[in-house]
Amino acid sequence: SESNCLFDWFGANGFSMNADKTELILFQSRRKKDDFRLTITLKGKKIFLSSKVGYLGIILDRYLEWKPQLTELARTLSRAIGLLSKIRHYVDTATLINLYYSLFHSHMTYGCMAWGFARETLLKQVQVLQKRDLRIITFSDRNTPTSDLFMHSDILKLKELITLKLSLFIHYWHHER
């Protein structure tokens, strides 16, 4: 069949695919619900169609809505908040800011140019976690408005970070190619 020809081409041209690590996803519109039952056989192992796959630490769902990615990100960020809330009493503010960037910010910004334009309701949970983390770092009450906290700590809000990353990408693409 056509799928076997494709895999024969890969093998003939020096490509090696690990059947145990191979996943199959078909991207589609939520409005047009096609129920495919596609299966590919690779090295004797059947590979079935998945509703989501992980690629380089990013979780892609078949509708590209980013809900699985943002759910997993929220878990990771919550763990970082837990660590920062425990250690904040033993280190100075500069160290807390450095820990924020290494434990929280790095995860929050990884892949944000892809998932950063998800529905606002999905992004909201990440924004809430960022505000909670900022309040922990600054020893602020949980009801303290965060606009001044962001400004005084020189930390960008999630939406500002996404805009910055996208602007830098466009700049480099335009000037460095």
PDB file of all heavy atoms in Angstrom, residues 69-71 73-74 77 81 104 107-109 115 120-132 158 162:
ATOM      1  N   GLN A  69      -1.615  20.492  26.418  1.00  0.00           N
ATOM      2  CA  GLN A  69      -0.350  21.192  26.669  1.00  0.00           C
ATOM      3  C   GLN A  69      -0.479  22.120  27.868  1.00  0.00           C
ATOM      4  O   GLN A  69       0.361  22.133  28.763  1.00  0.00           O
ATOM      5  CB  GLN A  69       0.071  21.987  25.419  1.00  0.00           C
ATOM      6  CG  GLN A  69       1.227  22.939  25.634  1.00  0.00           C
ATOM      7  CD  GLN A  69       2.529  22.262  25.982  1.00  0.00           C
ATOM      8  OE1 GLN A  69       2.770  21.128  25.597  1.00  0.00           O
ATOM      9  NE2 GLN A  69       3.391  22.957  26.700  1.00  0.00           N
ATOM     10  N   LEU A  70      -1.542  22.908  27.896  1.00  0.00           N
ATOM     11  CA  LEU A  70      -1.707  23.888  28.969  1.00  0.00           C
ATOM     12  C   LEU A  70      -2.066  23.226  30.298  1.00  0.00           C
ATOM     13  O   LEU A  70      -1.681  23.730  31.358  1.00  0.00           O
ATOM     14  CB  LEU A  70      -2.734  24.941  28.562  1.00  0.00           C
ATOM     15  CG  LEU A  70      -2.239  25.838  27.414  1.00  0.00           C
ATOM     16  CD1 LEU A  70      -3.365  26.681  26.851  1.00  0.00           C
ATOM     17  CD2 LEU A  70      -1.080  26.699  27.861  1.00  0.00           C
ATOM     18  N   THR A  71      -2.734  22.097  30.263  1.00  0.00           N
ATOM     19  CA  THR A  71      -3.014  21.347  31.494  1.00  0.00           C
ATOM     20  C   THR A  71      -1.714  20.820  32.092  1.00  0.00           C
ATOM     21  O   THR A  71      -1.473  20.926  33.296  1.00  0.00           O
ATOM     22  CB  THR A  71      -3.989  20.188  31.202  1.00  0.00           C
ATOM     23  OG1 THR A  71      -5.207  20.731  30.688  1.00  0.00           O
ATOM     24  CG2 THR A  71      -4.267  19.374  32.449  1.00  0.00           C
ATOM     25  N   LEU A  73       1.297  22.001  31.481  1.00  0.00           N
ATOM     26  CA  LEU A  73       2.076  23.177  31.883  1.00  0.00           C
ATOM     27  C   LEU A  73       1.617  23.671  33.251  1.00  0.00           C
ATOM     28  O   LEU A  73       2.448  24.011  34.102  1.00  0.00           O
ATOM     29  CB  LEU A  73       1.946  24.278  30.839  1.00  0.00           C
ATOM     30  CG  LEU A  73       2.640  25.600  31.159  1.00  0.00           C
ATOM     31  CD1 LEU A  73       4.146  25.411  31.308  1.00  0.00           C
ATOM     32  CD2 LEU A  73       2.329  26.636  30.081  1.00  0.00           C
ATOM     33  N   ALA A  74       0.318  23.701  33.476  1.00  0.00           N
ATOM     34  CA  ALA A  74      -0.211  24.151  34.764  1.00  0.00           C
ATOM     35  C   ALA A  74       0.271  23.241  35.897  1.00  0.00           C
ATOM     36  O   ALA A  74       0.609  23.725  36.984  1.00  0.00           O
ATOM     37  CB  ALA A  74      -1.739  24.188  34.733  1.00  0.00           C
ATOM     38  N   LEU A  77       3.953  24.200  36.505  1.00  0.00           N
ATOM     39  CA  LEU A  77       4.053  25.513  37.154  1.00  0.00           C
ATOM     40  C   LEU A  77       3.588  25.449  38.606  1.00  0.00           C
ATOM     41  O   LEU A  77       4.160  26.120  39.473  1.00  0.00           O
ATOM     42  CB  LEU A  77       3.253  26.553  36.373  1.00  0.00           C
ATOM     43  CG  LEU A  77       3.733  26.834  34.940  1.00  0.00           C
ATOM     44  CD1 LEU A  77       2.831  27.852  34.263  1.00  0.00           C
ATOM     45  CD2 LEU A  77       5.187  27.264  34.910  1.00  0.00           C
ATOM     46  N   ILE A  81       5.668  26.580  41.912  1.00  0.00           N
ATOM     47  CA  ILE A  81       5.120  27.475  42.937  1.00  0.00           C
ATOM     48  C   ILE A  81       5.309  26.851  44.320  1.00  0.00           C
ATOM     49  O   ILE A  81       5.695  27.534  45.277  1.00  0.00           O
ATOM     50  CB  ILE A  81       3.625  27.770  42.668  1.00  0.00           C
ATOM     51  CG1 ILE A  81       3.492  28.687  41.467  1.00  0.00           C
ATOM     52  CG2 ILE A  81       2.963  28.397  43.888  1.00  0.00           C
ATOM     53  CD1 ILE A  81       2.060  28.872  40.992  1.00  0.00           C
ATOM     54  N   PHE A 104      10.123  28.500  36.885  1.00  0.00           N
ATOM     55  CA  PHE A 104       8.780  28.863  36.439  1.00  0.00           C
ATOM     56  C   PHE A 104       8.800  29.438  35.016  1.00  0.00           C
ATOM     57  O   PHE A 104       8.195  28.891  34.101  1.00  0.00           O
ATOM     58  CB  PHE A 104       8.180  29.876  37.420  1.00  0.00           C
ATOM     59  CG  PHE A 104       6.710  30.103  37.253  1.00  0.00           C
ATOM     60  CD1 PHE A 104       5.802  29.373  37.986  1.00  0.00           C
ATOM     61  CD2 PHE A 104       6.241  31.059  36.377  1.00  0.00           C
ATOM     62  CE1 PHE A 104       4.434  29.575  37.841  1.00  0.00           C
ATOM     63  CE2 PHE A 104       4.876  31.272  36.224  1.00  0.00           C
ATOM     64  CZ  PHE A 104       3.977  30.531  36.956  1.00  0.00           C
ATOM     65  N   HIS A 107       9.700  27.206  31.908  1.00  0.00           N
ATOM     66  CA  HIS A 107       8.621  26.307  31.478  1.00  0.00           C
ATOM     67  C   HIS A 107       7.475  27.084  30.845  1.00  0.00           C
ATOM     68  O   HIS A 107       6.873  26.640  29.871  1.00  0.00           O
ATOM     69  CB  HIS A 107       8.086  25.493  32.664  1.00  0.00           C
ATOM     70  CG  HIS A 107       9.064  24.492  33.167  1.00  0.00           C
ATOM     71  ND1 HIS A 107       9.326  23.307  32.516  1.00  0.00           N
ATOM     72  CD2 HIS A 107       9.857  24.496  34.258  1.00  0.00           C
ATOM     73  CE1 HIS A 107      10.228  22.621  33.184  1.00  0.00           C
ATOM     74  NE2 HIS A 107      10.579  23.327  34.244  1.00  0.00           N
ATOM     75  N   MET A 108       7.166  28.237  31.423  1.00  0.00           N
ATOM     76  CA  MET A 108       6.048  29.036  30.941  1.00  0.00           C
ATOM     77  C   MET A 108       6.287  29.548  29.516  1.00  0.00           C
ATOM     78  O   MET A 108       5.350  29.661  28.728  1.00  0.00           O
ATOM     79  CB  MET A 108       5.794  30.212  31.881  1.00  0.00           C
ATOM     80  CG  MET A 108       4.574  31.024  31.530  1.00  0.00           C
ATOM     81  SD  MET A 108       4.268  32.375  32.677  1.00  0.00           S
ATOM     82  CE  MET A 108       5.683  33.411  32.394  1.00  0.00           C
ATOM     83  N   THR A 109       7.523  29.831  29.164  1.00  0.00           N
ATOM     84  CA  THR A 109       7.793  30.403  27.848  1.00  0.00           C
ATOM     85  C   THR A 109       8.155  29.369  26.790  1.00  0.00           C
ATOM     86  O   THR A 109       8.116  29.678  25.604  1.00  0.00           O
ATOM     87  CB  THR A 109       8.930  31.438  27.932  1.00  0.00           C
ATOM     88  OG1 THR A 109      10.090  30.824  28.480  1.00  0.00           O
ATOM     89  CG2 THR A 109       8.511  32.632  28.760  1.00  0.00           C
ATOM     90  N   TRP A 115       1.583  27.635  21.447  1.00  0.00           N
ATOM     91  CA  TRP A 115       0.349  27.526  22.238  1.00  0.00           C
ATOM     92  C   TRP A 115      -0.155  28.864  22.779  1.00  0.00           C
ATOM     93  O   TRP A 115      -1.238  28.955  23.327  1.00  0.00           O
ATOM     94  CB  TRP A 115       0.514  26.532  23.395  1.00  0.00           C
ATOM     95  CG  TRP A 115       1.658  26.802  24.327  1.00  0.00           C
ATOM     96  CD1 TRP A 115       2.859  26.156  24.361  1.00  0.00           C
ATOM     97  CD2 TRP A 115       1.706  27.768  25.385  1.00  0.00           C
ATOM     98  NE1 TRP A 115       3.653  26.671  25.354  1.00  0.00           N
ATOM     99  CE2 TRP A 115       2.972  27.655  26.007  1.00  0.00           C
ATOM    100  CE3 TRP A 115       0.812  28.718  25.875  1.00  0.00           C
ATOM    101  CZ2 TRP A 115       3.353  28.456  27.069  1.00  0.00           C
ATOM    102  CZ3 TRP A 115       1.195  29.511  26.939  1.00  0.00           C
ATOM    103  CH2 TRP A 115       2.457  29.372  27.521  1.00  0.00           C
ATOM    104  N   GLU A 120      -8.567  32.121  25.256  1.00  0.00           N
ATOM    105  CA  GLU A 120      -8.273  32.911  26.460  1.00  0.00           C
ATOM    106  C   GLU A 120      -8.597  32.140  27.740  1.00  0.00           C
ATOM    107  O   GLU A 120      -7.885  32.258  28.738  1.00  0.00           O
ATOM    108  CB  GLU A 120      -9.061  34.222  26.405  1.00  0.00           C
ATOM    109  CG  GLU A 120      -8.568  35.281  27.345  1.00  0.00           C
ATOM    110  CD  GLU A 120      -7.157  35.757  27.043  1.00  0.00           C
ATOM    111  OE1 GLU A 120      -6.804  35.879  25.858  1.00  0.00           O
ATOM    112  OE2 GLU A 120      -6.411  36.008  28.011  1.00  0.00           O
ATOM    113  N   THR A 121      -9.649  31.336  27.717  1.00  0.00           N
ATOM    114  CA  THR A 121     -10.019  30.570  28.914  1.00  0.00           C
ATOM    115  C   THR A 121      -8.949  29.547  29.277  1.00  0.00           C
ATOM    116  O   THR A 121      -8.733  29.266  30.457  1.00  0.00           O
ATOM    117  CB  THR A 121     -11.361  29.842  28.713  1.00  0.00           C
ATOM    118  OG1 THR A 121     -11.293  29.040  27.528  1.00  0.00           O
ATOM    119  CG2 THR A 121     -12.506  30.825  28.598  1.00  0.00           C
ATOM    120  N   LEU A 122      -8.254  29.002  28.286  1.00  0.00           N
ATOM    121  CA  LEU A 122      -7.175  28.047  28.560  1.00  0.00           C
ATOM    122  C   LEU A 122      -5.925  28.764  29.066  1.00  0.00           C
ATOM    123  O   LEU A 122      -5.225  28.264  29.942  1.00  0.00           O
ATOM    124  CB  LEU A 122      -6.850  27.229  27.314  1.00  0.00           C
ATOM    125  CG  LEU A 122      -7.931  26.276  26.827  1.00  0.00           C
ATOM    126  CD1 LEU A 122      -7.533  25.643  25.500  1.00  0.00           C
ATOM    127  CD2 LEU A 122      -8.200  25.202  27.876  1.00  0.00           C
ATOM    128  N   LEU A 123      -5.645  29.933  28.514  1.00  0.00           N
ATOM    129  CA  LEU A 123      -4.468  30.701  28.945  1.00  0.00           C
ATOM    130  C   LEU A 123      -4.643  31.272  30.346  1.00  0.00           C
ATOM    131  O   LEU A 123      -3.670  31.519  31.052  1.00  0.00           O
ATOM    132  CB  LEU A 123      -4.183  31.836  27.962  1.00  0.00           C
ATOM    133  CG  LEU A 123      -3.697  31.436  26.579  1.00  0.00           C
ATOM    134  CD1 LEU A 123      -3.564  32.656  25.688  1.00  0.00           C
ATOM    135  CD2 LEU A 123      -2.392  30.678  26.661  1.00  0.00           C
ATOM    136  N   LYS A 124      -5.879  31.459  30.738  1.00  0.00           N
ATOM    137  CA  LYS A 124      -6.186  32.080  32.031  1.00  0.00           C
ATOM    138  C   LYS A 124      -5.538  31.326  33.189  1.00  0.00           C
ATOM    139  O   LYS A 124      -5.008  31.941  34.111  1.00  0.00           O
ATOM    140  CB  LYS A 124      -7.711  32.146  32.213  1.00  0.00           C
ATOM    141  CG  LYS A 124      -8.139  32.942  33.396  1.00  0.00           C
ATOM    142  CD  LYS A 124      -8.001  34.413  33.106  1.00  0.00           C
ATOM    143  CE  LYS A 124      -8.611  35.214  34.235  1.00  0.00           C
ATOM    144  NZ  LYS A 124      -8.171  36.580  34.191  1.00  0.00           N
ATOM    145  N   GLN A 125      -5.549  29.991  33.141  1.00  0.00           N
ATOM    146  CA  GLN A 125      -4.980  29.236  34.254  1.00  0.00           C
ATOM    147  C   GLN A 125      -3.477  29.474  34.390  1.00  0.00           C
ATOM    148  O   GLN A 125      -2.958  29.537  35.500  1.00  0.00           O
ATOM    149  CB  GLN A 125      -5.302  27.746  34.145  1.00  0.00           C
ATOM    150  CG  GLN A 125      -4.587  27.004  33.038  1.00  0.00           C
ATOM    151  CD  GLN A 125      -5.029  25.564  32.901  1.00  0.00           C
ATOM    152  OE1 GLN A 125      -5.863  25.255  32.083  1.00  0.00           O
ATOM    153  NE2 GLN A 125      -4.479  24.693  33.695  1.00  0.00           N
ATOM    154  N   VAL A 126      -2.777  29.669  33.286  1.00  0.00           N
ATOM    155  CA  VAL A 126      -1.343  29.973  33.346  1.00  0.00           C
ATOM    156  C   VAL A 126      -1.135  31.378  33.889  1.00  0.00           C
ATOM    157  O   VAL A 126      -0.243  31.621  34.706  1.00  0.00           O
ATOM    158  CB  VAL A 126      -0.683  29.800  31.955  1.00  0.00           C
ATOM    159  CG1 VAL A 126       0.790  30.197  31.999  1.00  0.00           C
ATOM    160  CG2 VAL A 126      -0.840  28.372  31.461  1.00  0.00           C
ATOM    161  N   GLN A 127      -1.976  32.322  33.458  1.00  0.00           N
ATOM    162  CA  GLN A 127      -1.872  33.691  33.956  1.00  0.00           C
ATOM    163  C   GLN A 127      -2.115  33.747  35.465  1.00  0.00           C
ATOM    164  O   GLN A 127      -1.403  34.453  36.194  1.00  0.00           O
ATOM    165  CB  GLN A 127      -2.875  34.585  33.226  1.00  0.00           C
ATOM    166  CG  GLN A 127      -2.545  34.769  31.765  1.00  0.00           C
ATOM    167  CD  GLN A 127      -3.673  35.405  30.982  1.00  0.00           C
ATOM    168  OE1 GLN A 127      -4.845  35.206  31.271  1.00  0.00           O
ATOM    169  NE2 GLN A 127      -3.314  36.179  29.960  1.00  0.00           N
ATOM    170  N   VAL A 128      -3.093  33.002  35.946  1.00  0.00           N
ATOM    171  CA  VAL A 128      -3.392  32.970  37.388  1.00  0.00           C
ATOM    172  C   VAL A 128      -2.210  32.395  38.159  1.00  0.00           C
ATOM    173  O   VAL A 128      -1.833  32.912  39.224  1.00  0.00           O
ATOM    174  CB  VAL A 128      -4.688  32.162  37.648  1.00  0.00           C
ATOM    175  CG1 VAL A 128      -4.866  31.840  39.118  1.00  0.00           C
ATOM    176  CG2 VAL A 128      -5.897  32.928  37.119  1.00  0.00           C
ATOM    177  N   LEU A 129      -1.602  31.345  37.633  1.00  0.00           N
ATOM    178  CA  LEU A 129      -0.443  30.748  38.304  1.00  0.00           C
ATOM    179  C   LEU A 129       0.745  31.712  38.328  1.00  0.00           C
ATOM    180  O   LEU A 129       1.470  31.783  39.325  1.00  0.00           O
ATOM    181  CB  LEU A 129      -0.054  29.432  37.629  1.00  0.00           C
ATOM    182  CG  LEU A 129      -1.033  28.284  37.825  1.00  0.00           C
ATOM    183  CD1 LEU A 129      -0.682  27.111  36.914  1.00  0.00           C
ATOM    184  CD2 LEU A 129      -1.060  27.837  39.284  1.00  0.00           C
ATOM    185  N   GLN A 130       0.935  32.457  37.252  1.00  0.00           N
ATOM    186  CA  GLN A 130       2.027  33.431  37.232  1.00  0.00           C
ATOM    187  C   GLN A 130       1.803  34.511  38.286  1.00  0.00           C
ATOM    188  O   GLN A 130       2.731  34.904  38.998  1.00  0.00           O
ATOM    189  CB  GLN A 130       2.174  34.055  35.849  1.00  0.00           C
ATOM    190  CG  GLN A 130       3.397  34.960  35.761  1.00  0.00           C
ATOM    191  CD  GLN A 130       3.477  35.740  34.468  1.00  0.00           C
ATOM    192  OE1 GLN A 130       2.456  36.049  33.845  1.00  0.00           O
ATOM    193  NE2 GLN A 130       4.698  36.068  34.064  1.00  0.00           N
ATOM    194  N   LYS A 131       0.578  34.980  38.406  1.00  0.00           N
ATOM    195  CA  LYS A 131       0.268  35.991  39.429  1.00  0.00           C
ATOM    196  C   LYS A 131       0.470  35.427  40.833  1.00  0.00           C
ATOM    197  O   LYS A 131       1.000  36.117  41.714  1.00  0.00           O
ATOM    198  CB  LYS A 131      -1.169  36.483  39.265  1.00  0.00           C
ATOM    199  CG  LYS A 131      -1.378  37.337  38.035  1.00  0.00           C
ATOM    200  CD  LYS A 131      -2.839  37.713  37.879  1.00  0.00           C
ATOM    201  CE  LYS A 131      -3.068  38.534  36.635  1.00  0.00           C
ATOM    202  NZ  LYS A 131      -4.482  38.922  36.483  1.00  0.00           N
ATOM    203  N   ARG A 132       0.056  34.187  41.053  1.00  0.00           N
ATOM    204  CA  ARG A 132       0.243  33.557  42.363  1.00  0.00           C
ATOM    205  C   ARG A 132       1.729  33.455  42.698  1.00  0.00           C
ATOM    206  O   ARG A 132       2.147  33.744  43.822  1.00  0.00           O
ATOM    207  CB  ARG A 132      -0.395  32.166  42.377  1.00  0.00           C
ATOM    208  CG  ARG A 132      -0.291  31.499  43.752  1.00  0.00           C
ATOM    209  CD  ARG A 132      -0.845  30.101  43.782  1.00  0.00           C
ATOM    210  NE  ARG A 132      -2.215  30.067  43.295  1.00  0.00           N
ATOM    211  CZ  ARG A 132      -2.818  28.961  42.876  1.00  0.00           C
ATOM    212  NH1 ARG A 132      -2.186  27.804  42.879  1.00  0.00           N
ATOM    213  NH2 ARG A 132      -4.072  29.010  42.456  1.00  0.00           N
ATOM    214  N   LEU A 158       2.388  37.096  31.035  1.00  0.00           N
ATOM    215  CA  LEU A 158       2.373  36.054  30.009  1.00  0.00           C
ATOM    216  C   LEU A 158       2.101  36.618  28.622  1.00  0.00           C
ATOM    217  O   LEU A 158       2.838  36.327  27.679  1.00  0.00           O
ATOM    218  CB  LEU A 158       1.336  34.975  30.354  1.00  0.00           C
ATOM    219  CG  LEU A 158       1.159  33.881  29.302  1.00  0.00           C
ATOM    220  CD1 LEU A 158       2.432  33.072  29.145  1.00  0.00           C
ATOM    221  CD2 LEU A 158      -0.007  32.981  29.661  1.00  0.00           C
ATOM    222  N   ILE A 162       4.600  36.529  25.314  1.00  0.00           N
ATOM    223  CA  ILE A 162       4.256  35.934  24.027  1.00  0.00           C
ATOM    224  C   ILE A 162       4.455  36.954  22.909  1.00  0.00           C
ATOM    225  O   ILE A 162       5.039  36.637  21.867  1.00  0.00           O
ATOM    226  CB  ILE A 162       2.807  35.401  24.047  1.00  0.00           C
ATOM    227  CG1 ILE A 162       2.701  34.223  25.019  1.00  0.00           C
ATOM    228  CG2 ILE A 162       2.346  34.997  22.650  1.00  0.00           C
ATOM    229  CD1 ILE A 162       1.284  33.820  25.363  1.00  0.00           C
TER     230      ILE A 162
END
